């Protein structure tokens, strides 16, 4: 289904085997509940990688009311006051990639249990043409393919994504910030999803339209949590 708000936070990361139990205990038992409890956060979903070159094992997507939430006082307060468990687990998280985004395009009637993520940058001179190609042609066509439930385009705010916080200081390396994120949600037919993305969103097609540093991965939903409304 379409994303629930106008903002999105996209996070890729790896948890080494020796830290896996702590990661699941933290992310399931504390971290995602904490995040969706912040004013303006609507839903969080974590996916685990199935395949993909350069694809970190975990992808987490937070949906927010709008991008102002990402630099708002409530979120920054949590980032600058990490819990003891966050301080213990965060140093073990590696290959961190994180973009605070505005949702430029989102459409769909249902959620998919499978997800293809594409992250990349676009040459400055090609931005307008690339955006038009995605929004007017490729993404609407993708949504019409069998087995595709939803498609989303998120564009990062590089300045907001680079704000230094106490939580970031506890991580072993600075996170990369891809500026374009395309997400395609599909149903159980993995081959159908991969084939559709390979045809309409191939590396060649995106590169010809100005994309650089393309990385893609195939993920499966592991955990989902929505904000509690009262």
């Amino acid at each position: 289904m379409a994303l629930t708000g106008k903002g999105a936070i996209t996070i890729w990361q790896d948890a080494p085997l020796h830290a896996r139990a702590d990661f699941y205990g933290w992310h399931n038992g504390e971290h995602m509940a904490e995040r969706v409890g912040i004013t303006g956060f609507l839903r969080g979903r974590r996916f685990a990688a199935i395949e993909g070159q350069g694809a970190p094992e975990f992808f987490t997507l937070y949906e927010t009311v709008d991008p102002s939430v990402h630099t708002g006082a409530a979120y920054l307060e949590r980032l600058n006051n990490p819990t003891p468990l966050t301080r213990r687990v965060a140093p073990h998280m590696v290959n961190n990639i994180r973009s605070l985004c505005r949702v430029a395009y989102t459409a769909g009637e249902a959620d998919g249990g499978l997800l293809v993520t594409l992250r990349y940058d676009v040459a400055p001179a090609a931005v307008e043409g690339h955006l038009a190609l995605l929004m007017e042609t490729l993404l609407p066509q993708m949504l019409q393919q069998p087995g595709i439930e939803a498609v989303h385009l998120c564009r990062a705010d590089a300045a907001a994504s680079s704000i230094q916080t106490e939580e970031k200081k506890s991580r072993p390396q600075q996170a990369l910030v891809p500026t374009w994120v395309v997400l395609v949600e599909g149903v159980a037919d993995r081959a159908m999803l991969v084939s559709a993305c390979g045809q309409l969103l191939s590396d060649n097609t995106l590169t010809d339209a100005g994309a650089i540093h393309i990385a893609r991965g195939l993920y499966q939903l592991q955990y989902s949590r929505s904000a509690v409304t009262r």
Side-chain angles (χ1 to χ4, degrees):
M1 63 186 292
L3 298 180
T4 53
K6 297 179 181 179
I9 298 176
T10 59
I11 304 168
W12 294 259
Q13 56 195 175
D14 281 317
L17 286 175
H18 71 270
R20 192 66 51 82
D22 278 348
F23 169 77
Y24 280 123
W26 165 70
H27 212 258
N28 295 356
E30 176 185 280
H31 192 67
M32 193 169 283
E34 177 192 83
R35 288 300 190 252
V36 299
I38 296 170
T39 300
F41 276 67
L42 302 172
R43 179 169 65 159
R45 285 183 282 170
R46 187 184 70 244
F47 299 79
I50 299 173
E51 64 181 24
Q53 289 188 340
E57 182 173 3
F58 298 106
F59 172 71
T60 302
L61 172 65
Y62 291 109
E63 299 162 52
T64 64
V65 171
D66 60 54
S68 68
V69 172
H70 309 159
T71 55
Y75 186 36
L76 290 178
E77 191 278 334
R78 293 310 316 140
L79 290 174
N80 283 311
N81 294 279
T83 68
L85 188 54
T86 297
R87 289 184 182 275
R88 190 177 89 200
V89 174
H92 298 290
M93 304 308 297
V94 296
N95 301 324
N96 294 292
I97 301 163
R98 175 177 175 270
S99 295
L100 308 182
C101 301
R102 175 178 296 279
V103 177
Y105 181 98
T106 182
E109 297 298 324
D111 295 331
L114 297 175
L115 179 74
V116 166
T117 73
L118 295 101
R119 63 182 191 274
Y120 54 89
D121 299 315
V122 174
V127 166
E128 289 188 13
H130 192 93
L131 182 62
L133 177 65
L134 287 178
M135 295 183 64
E136 297 171 13
T137 303
L138 298 181
L139 298 184
Q141 288 180 2
M142 177 63 69
L143 195 58
Q144 300 306 312
Q145 303 306 302
I148 304 303
E149 297 299 329
V151 293
H152 321 293
L153 168 63
C154 305
R155 295 186 62 190
D157 180 331
S161 302
S162 300
I163 294 174
Q164 190 62 253
T165 65
E166 287 300 313
E167 188 171 310
K168 278 189 179 181
K169 292 177 184 177
S170 67
R171 298 188 184 277
Q173 58 196 170
Q174 185 173 352
L176 298 177
V177 183
T179 53
W180 295 66
V181 177
V182 176
L183 306 173
V184 182
E185 301 191 44
V187 291
D189 194 324
R190 169 177 164 182
M192 188 179 293
L193 174 60
V194 171
S195 176
C197 290
Q199 291 176 29
L200 287 173
L201 296 170
S202 68
D203 284 4
N204 286 340
T205 297
L206 297 175
T207 299
D208 288 346
I212 53 177
H213 310 136
I214 301 170
R216 67 178 66 217
L218 175 62
Y219 291 83
Q220 187 166 22
L221 181 65
Q222 269 195 335
Y223 188 79
S224 179
R225 189 154 188 157
S226 297
V228 176
T229 56
R230 296 181 176 86

